[in-house]
Amino acid sequence: MPTAFILLLLAANFRKMNIHEYQGKEILKRFGVGIQEGFVAETPEEAVEAAKKLQEQTGTGWWVVKAQVHAGGRGKGGGIKLAKSLDDVKSLSAQILGMTLVTPQTGAEGKLVRKVMIAQDVYYPGAEPVAEFYMSVLLNRQTGRDVIIYSTEGGMDIEDVAHNHPEKILNEEIDPKVGIQGFQARKIAYNLGLSGEANKQMVKFIMALYKAYVATDASQFEINPVLKTSDSKIIAVDAKVNLDENGLFRHPDLAAMRDVLEEDPTEVEAAEHNLNYVKLDGNIGCMVNGAGLAMATMDIIKLAGGDPANFLDVGGTADAARVEQAFRIILKDPNVKAILVNIFGGIVRCDRVAQGIVDAYRSIGEINVPIIVRLQGTNAVEAKEIIDNSGLQVQSVILLQEAADKVKEVLA
Amino acid sequence: MSVLVNKNSKIIVQGFTGSEGTFHAGQMIDYGTQVVGGVTPGKGGTKHLDRPVFNTVADAVNTTGADVSIIFVPPAFAADAIMEAADAGIKVIVCITEGIPVADMVNVKEYLRGRSSTLIGPNCPGVITPEEAKVGIMPGFVFRKGKIGIVSKSGTLTYEAADQVVKAGMGISTAIGIGGDPIIGTTTLEAVKLLMADDETDGIVMIGEIGGNLEALASEWIKENGTKPVVGFIAGKTAPAGRRMGHAGAIVGGADDTAEAKMRIMRECGIHVVDSPAQIGQKMAEVMAK
């Protein structure tokens, strides 16, 4: 597999539910994967208690305070700190809890830290040098099989490794008929340069990791770094665990791990109404039926000189209640200067959608931005009449090109 | 010859008596599609929409000679339904169901390896050969019969493209909605190959979206082996990296799966790419007039 394609796979994670590091590690541990142990805390006092408990259980004298947010690059943003005393644990936790953590993945607005994980120090000195590796399990879309991607270059950005040393990223594909085999795990362990006890431990780690991946309907595991400790243990120091949303019905315990505070509140609200909404930075709102047509509508807005304010797929049943909800969600964005509704009515009749738009408009009352409605398909002409005769400040068109031209007019 | 389905196709509906199955089977029958029966475990021996219901696909095939199946069963049972259809010797399996766990589809893909069934979808609008057979959930009236084949990941964008092609004075030979999931039965390339080999198809519309490399693979094949003009569009030029746009597979990962990169590769391979989705029909008319 070419490295560029591996990178594409790593980044293009589909339909996933993100969970926190501490939750990911909890799952891994359940399946016998070695982890850097720790406890979650929401206050500095809880953090100190967690540190004491951890000292009793693992003997650790140093601790790592790790911000729990759904974003990578936490260390770069100051979200991960080493504490060498209980006082440090308290002061560092106080500092990290409540901070707005900005990392390369959060965007400039950052993420509020509500929880920290107090973890054991695993870089303790010993008989052997420590070593960091990289490991991911995910789907290779091209072959329809799961693949383990790994590298000796752990603890750093995998994109950088791919750029500087593409030959150091290796992969091992799993045959779904039989699952991962021992020889595959051994091959990986030897390719990572491990021998003796560490090699054995790595084989165990890989077998358990894959088992956990399959058993949880995961869509991606990314363990960076996988650490060989100075006493030849193999453990996950970080754990980015993403679960397949489509598989969650089989795992109510995992579904309960969702942390909606980490998600965009408007997107969460939209999802509750079965609307597929993604907030963007532009000035033209849009409401469309179907994901492909929704993206195409965003492209039309751009070509007309505007910028899409959102992606919004209302799905197959664009009835009045749903259209109203969609309008309300789009109008929450103060940047929206106009709204383009683009519905291709197939099974759904356009005249019904048009009536829905009129009803929703009246129900909301004050709408101060121009609305362009493009209805095409079954009863498109009747639909246009309903809109045109409604007396509302709504412009209606039938062809997609006409919709594009109207957007241009509004922006002029 | 048309592609995948025609007036001689004998179609069964899996999930026949459920609300989705009932509604769309009715629409398919109204269209004139030869629906010969359906399958709902536990309801075998009864009649639904004036057609026999069977407990298993094997029973349905033995009694009716069905060779095409359309699946409306819920996501938790859809993988099982696809494999049952393949086991019973169904040639073309169209799976409409959205939301099937990816791990289930990994197993389905493996199960179908070496078997002669063709899976379309899942999470797709289906396949239509106008005036012959509608095996899907698309609005039939949009697809007037003609010589242009359509391959698309998206439902409503397929209807849009068909509508534009028809309004530009042409018609559709077969439209294939391949679906937008990470694992699909028939890829863009496989669908393009079918249409290239079809003597009732003179030109092809290929519609893709951000994410994955299916369009690039198809384009490279077209460059070497294409015998008919292809008009292409990729949705999602304005989609930001890392955000999933509705379809499970529609997410920009790297530099190679952006809309721009795909459109560039398609152009380099001789495909007539339109920047605006409003120009698909017009472009096809221009290309076909040459």
Side-chain angles (χ1 to χ4, degrees), chain A residues 114-186:
Chain A
R114 295 180 174 87
K115 291 172 184 167
V116 290
M117 183 180 189
I118 306 300
Q120 70 178 131
D121 168 41
V122 283
Y123 291 81
Y124 46 82
E128 296 211 26
V130 298
E132 291 182 323
F133 309 107
Y134 173 90
M135 196 170 291
S136 272
V137 191
L138 68 159
L139 175 75
N140 179 354
R141 283 171 72 169
Q142 216 168 344
T143 60
R145 292 175 167 194
D146 294 324
V147 62
I148 296 178
I149 292 169
Y150 62 101
S151 173
T152 50
E153 309 302 292
M156 56 190 95
D157 208 330
I158 196 69
E159 276 84 9
D160 295 341
V161 180
H163 187 255
N164 300 325
H165 294 285
E167 76 286 356
K168 289 190 175 176
I169 300 183
L170 303 173
N171 65 85
E172 185 70 25
E173 198 161 274
I174 316 293
D175 184 336
K177 276 204 286 290
V178 292
I180 192 168
Q181 296 298 300
F183 78 88
Q184 295 183 295
R186 289 197 299 278

Side-chain angles (χ1 to χ4, degrees), chain A residues 332-352:
Chain A
K332 281 188 180 183
D333 181 351
N335 296 327
V336 169
K337 299 278 173 290
I339 298 174
L340 171 59
V341 180
N342 184 12
I343 304 284
F344 199 105
I347 305 297
V348 191
R349 282 167 36 194
C350 289
D351 51 339
R352 292 226 180 123

Side-chain angles (χ1 to χ4, degrees), chain A residues 38-159:
Chain A
F39 297 105
V40 70
E42 293 183 29
T43 64
E45 293 70 31
E46 279 179 26
V48 171
E49 287 313 305
K52 285 182 186 159
K53 206 160 118 191
L54 204 55
Q55 191 165 34
E56 279 169 29
Q57 284 183 11
T58 67
T60 192
W62 287 0
W63 300 267
V64 190
V65 183
K66 305 171 100 174
Q68 299 296 293
V69 292
H70 288 183
R74 291 169 299 163
K76 286 177 195 159
I80 299 180
K81 302 270 187 194
L82 181 65
K84 296 185 176 176
S85 68
L86 289 172
D87 283 345
D88 278 2
V89 169
K90 190 164 188 178
S91 61
L92 290 171
S93 299
Q95 185 189 319
I96 292 173
L97 282 164
M99 82 186 279
T100 299
L101 184 60
V102 179
T103 86
Q105 289 183 19
T106 59
E109 72 275 16
K111 282 205 154 213
L112 178 66
V113 182
R114 295 180 174 87
K115 291 172 184 167
V116 290
M117 183 180 189
I118 306 300
Q120 70 178 131
D121 168 41
V122 283
Y123 291 81
Y124 46 82
E128 296 211 26
V130 298
E132 291 182 323
F133 309 107
Y134 173 90
M135 196 170 291
S136 272
V137 191
L138 68 159
L139 175 75
N140 179 354
R141 283 171 72 169
Q142 216 168 344
T143 60
R145 292 175 167 194
D146 294 324
V147 62
I148 296 178
I149 292 169
Y150 62 101
S151 173
T152 50
E153 309 302 292
M156 56 190 95
D157 208 330
I158 196 69
E159 276 84 9

Side-chain angles (χ1 to χ4, degrees), chain B residues 144-166:
Chain B
R144 191 193 295 159
K145 193 162 189 65
K147 295 278 199 178
I148 307 299
I150 300 179
V151 179
S152 169
K153 276 184 182 171
S154 146
T156 40
L157 201 46
T158 308
Y159 316 159
E160 177 69 44
D163 187 57
Q164 287 184 27
V165 166
V166 168

Side-chain angles (χ1 to χ4, degrees), chain A residues 4-5 7-9 11-16 139-146 174-177 214 217-219 244-250 264 267 276-280 288-303 306-308 311 313 342 344-347 374 376-379 398-402 404, chain B residues 23-24 27 75-76 98-107 109-110 113 134 137-142 153-157 159-161 163-164 167 180-183 209-214 217 233-240 242-257 259 263 275-279:
Chain A
F5 187 69
L7 270 186
L8 201 153
L9 287 176
N13 193 357
F14 50 90
R15 222 174 163 80
K16 58 178 183 178
L139 175 75
N140 179 354
R141 283 171 72 169
Q142 216 168 344
T143 60
R145 292 175 167 194
D146 294 324
I174 316 293
D175 184 336
K177 276 204 286 290
V214 172
D217 270 297
S219 66
D244 176 7
E245 286 187 5
N246 291 347
L248 284 176
F249 69 89
R250 291 197 274 242
D264 181 287
E267 290 178 18
N276 201 333
Y277 170 87
V278 178
K279 163 108 178 66
L280 302 170
V288 190
N289 65 334
L293 190 59
M295 280 190 276
T297 305
M298 287 158 51
D299 297 344
I300 285 263
I301 290 169
K302 182 79 175 178
L303 285 169
D307 276 304
F311 165 95
D313 175 7
N342 184 12
F344 199 105
I347 305 297
R374 184 267 179 155
Q376 172 65 294
T378 319
N379 296 355
I398 291 181
L399 296 177
L400 194 50
Q401 187 55 52
E402 294 169 344
Chain B
F23 177 75
H24 288 292
Q27 296 272 321
E98 180 180 0
I100 303 176
V102 177
D104 291 7
M105 284 308 299
V106 168
N107 290 333
K109 188 98 182 166
E110 201 56 39
R113 250 178 251 268
K134 172 175 114 102
I137 58 173
M138 64 287 279
F141 74 93
V142 176
K153 276 184 182 171
S154 146
T156 40
L157 201 46
Y159 316 159
E160 177 69 44
D163 187 57
Q164 287 184 27
K167 288 208 164 73
D181 269 7
I183 298 184
E209 56 194 32
I210 51 165
N213 63 347
L214 294 184
L217 294 174
F233 173 71
I234 300 290
K237 204 191 289 182
T238 48
R243 300 301 307 273
R244 180 165 52 83
M245 295 289 129
H247 281 160
I251 177 166
V252 170
D256 295 336
D257 66 341
M263 290 199 201
D275 285 312
S276 165
Q279 261 127 46

Side-chain angles (χ1 to χ4, degrees), chain A residues 180-219:
Chain A
I180 192 168
Q181 296 298 300
F183 78 88
Q184 295 183 295
R186 289 197 299 278
K187 183 159 83 180
I188 295 171
Y190 281 116
N191 282 342
L192 290 174
L194 295 172
S195 56
E197 180 61 18
N199 183 294
K200 265 188 222 160
Q201 291 302 319
M202 180 59 90
V203 168
K204 230 178 97 187
F205 180 91
I206 294 164
M207 299 300 279
L209 190 69
Y210 187 71
K211 196 170 139 198
Y213 177 86
V214 172
T216 55
D217 270 297
S219 66

